[in-house]
Every structure is written in structure tokens, then in C-alpha cells.
Amino acid sequence: MNLNPDRCFSPEPARRGVARTLYAAVKDLPLVCPHGHVDPALFSDPGYRFGSPAELLLIPDHYVFRMLYSQGISLEAQGVPRRDGGPTESDHRKIWQVFCEHFYLFAGTPSGQWLTQELVEVFGITEKPSAVNASRLYDSIEAKLETPAFRPRALFEHFNIETLCTTDAASDPLSHHKTIRESDWSGKILPTFRPDAVVNLDALGWRESITALESASGVSITSYASFLEALRNRRAFFKSLGATATDHGASYGDTTPLSPSEATVVFDRALAGKTEPSDGARFIAHMLFTLAGMSADDGLTMQLHVGSFRNHNQGLFEKFGADKGADIPMAGEFTRNLLPLLSAYGNDPKLSLILFTLDETLYSRELAPLAGHYPALHLGPPWWFFDSRLGMRRFLDSVVETAGVYNLAGFNDDTRAFCSIPARHDVWRRVVSDWLAGLVVEHLIDEEDAASMASALCYTLAKTAYRL
């Protein structure tokens, strides 16, 4: 496999030359990873060892197994655990063999680009995976995973990660974060407060999540008021362990608040197990408004991810649970939906609100104009399906003319796949360098401005937006 040094750069010589110069200045900047889903357990034990190559690179990665599933390869055959504990493939060599036989499926996709760079630069694999060499590649990677250089803490330092933020339930005891902070290791791993499981009244296991929140906070949740007390308690606890941000997922971006009496009635119905059909959406909208107020009070940056139809494949969800590659983008709207929140907090310098969407049509029509006006707003990078070479270019083309560069939140990798982090950041740095080079050769900006903008997009904007 060949990693061309000019990948993602324009073939036009003048633009490519500027892109090379810009990229050379940012490619070795530390990696700031302010939003992602890497398990903090990897770093709490200095001797933690990754599992097999299949356990590390394939089984937990929905970007990988959704592609294979789309070609008729069952999740059972890929070793993905079932909710009922039923049988799935346990021979990791067989799982790896299937992946290598179908590696061609990833050609031209972001996953293919990340996987190739990861295999070459992290594991020293220069052969393209295939049915013929699958076993040999497995042995090579497995041997490396046995060595101290491939322990998570060692790779964290080798990857030049400055900060890595996890995503943690509101009731999480953060025991791994405590262990990391109490150790003599200097790696900066920070928690992020995600209350979706207790805010979404329709979430599977909502009542159990409320019980867990009670236990973690020490607050008996018998009313809406005590629910808010428990949330504030947990936010303060997360901050004590270094958290700088919260994260919220919603199908839609509605932020219409309820009156205190309405919120109390809706929450009381949920506690009694008597929710009405409209309660879930109304309460989520109300809580997004309320949690923005909490962020303005305590300074935790608020991330809002909008526009995913979760678990579209109901049969797969029932058998395997959430996050199994069946979440699909939906059309969205922000201008009206965010009006209540922005009317209350959009001009407040104490709030930092980062918006993400899976509806690209919102970029230039709504998000860029909003971020180009409200001081509290930052635009998160292309998310999920659009975290790609072309998705990044479309994003920059759509938003910078209206919002400028300095109302963006830089880049985050948003991944569970720890070893792919350098590749994901590298794609962003290459695309940013090439995109800015296009502005230079069209004489819209000079190279000095381009260099400053590249550094901001690849490093400082994320630190600013996430208050790192």
C-alpha cells in the first residue's frame, strides 16, 4: 500500500505547492481531541493490552462492520456481541480473514483512507489486505500488540495527543478518570458530561438511568426540582475531574422551554410511567434550553449533535442494540428551533455552544449565518457521514464565506477507534491546507493569513471553543 505524500492535494501545481507548505507547518502540531468515544479504561491501567487485531480494529468499529453488513455479511459472522448473549463468531482469525477478503469494499471511502493510513503508519503494514495475506498480517499486528510500545499510554504519547476527551453518562462514577488523575502519568484524559439517557424520557431503560443518577448524585429524584439538583451535582463532579464540556444528541434542534409547572407535570408523569406521546420531544426541547442555562452558569461548553434517525434497522437494534451502523441522517432546521435558546443565551459570553448537524443543506442557509452573528455559537466540523475529504471541502466552501474561520470549532475525531485518531486528524490537516491553498492561488488571501488560518483550524480553535 502506498501513502502518496500529496494525497488530498490538488493536482494543479501552484495550488499543490502552497498546500505542501501549509501542511508542513501544521502536520506535527499536537492533536487536540475534544470529543470522542475512546474508553478511558485503556489509560487507567499502565499495563493495559489491546486484544486481538479483530478486537482492536474491527469488532467495535461500526464504520467497518456496517459496510460488510451492507454486503450480506452478518454481524454474528463479524463477532459483534448480541444483546441476549447468543452465539457469534469467536474465532478472531476468521473475522479478520473475512475483513481482508473484503477490504476492496472500502476503496474510495473515508474508512478505507483511515484504515490504510493506520495499517501503514501505526502497524507498519505495506501489503494491501487480501484473502492471501490475511493470516500473515494478523500475526504481524498481533506481535506488535504484545510489545510495550503498543500499550495505550505509549501510543497516546507516540501519537502526540495533547488532550483526549471521552464521552460519559451523567451517572458514570468516572473511576477510570480518577485513577488516571491520581497516577504519575502526564497524559491529559478528560471526561465529558452526556445526560441523554436521563433527559430523553423515551430512551430505553430511562427509569433505570434515573435510578443510576440518584445513586451517583446522592439525590433522591422524586420531582423535577430534585432531577435538576442531581444534574447540577453531577456537572460539578465532572468539572472536578477536569471536564470542560457537555454533549447532547437530539433528533431535532427544538429548544422551546416549558413553564416550570409544565415541566413538573411532564416529569412526574414519566416517574409514574404514564408519559403521553408528545412528552418525550417536548421535554428534550425544554431540557436543551435548561442545560444551556446551566452551561452559561458553570462554563461547560455545550455540544449539540442534531439530525440522526437512530437505530433505523429495528430488527438489528432488537438483536444487537444501539450503535450498530443503522443510524441515518435526517433533514433538520435550526433558525426557528434555536431561537428560544439563542434569545436567552446567544449573546452571553459565558456560553460556548458548538453545533453539529447531519443535514449539509443547513451549512450555508442557517448555521453559517447564525454562527456569523451570535457570540455564543461555534460550528463543529463535518460530523459522522461527512467526516471525509469531500465532506470537509463542502463544509469549508459552505460556511467560511459567511461565518469566517474563527467562528468554527476546529476539528474533532469523534471516534471509538483509538488507533485511527492520527489518520483522521491528518485528513483534516491535508484538506484544510489544500482548501486554503486554493484561496491563496486565487489571490483571495495571502500566505501569511493562510498559515494563521491553518494553525487555527488544526489546533487553536478547538482549544478555544472547548475551553481547553
Side-chain angles (χ1 to χ4, degrees), residues 444-455:
L444 299 173
I445 60 174
D446 60 30
E447 291 196 44
E448 180 182 4
D449 283 340
S452 297
M453 293 162 79
S455 179

Side-chain angles (χ1 to χ4, degrees), residues 328-359:
I328 308 297
M330 297 189 301
E333 197 276 344
F334 276 111
T335 302
R336 294 177 181 84
N337 278 335
L338 282 182
L339 183 59
L341 186 157
L342 294 175
S343 294
Y345 305 110
N347 303 301
D348 191 337
K350 294 181 292 184
L351 177 64
S352 176
L353 172 61
I354 304 176
L355 300 178
F356 299 82
T357 184
L358 288 182
D359 181 356

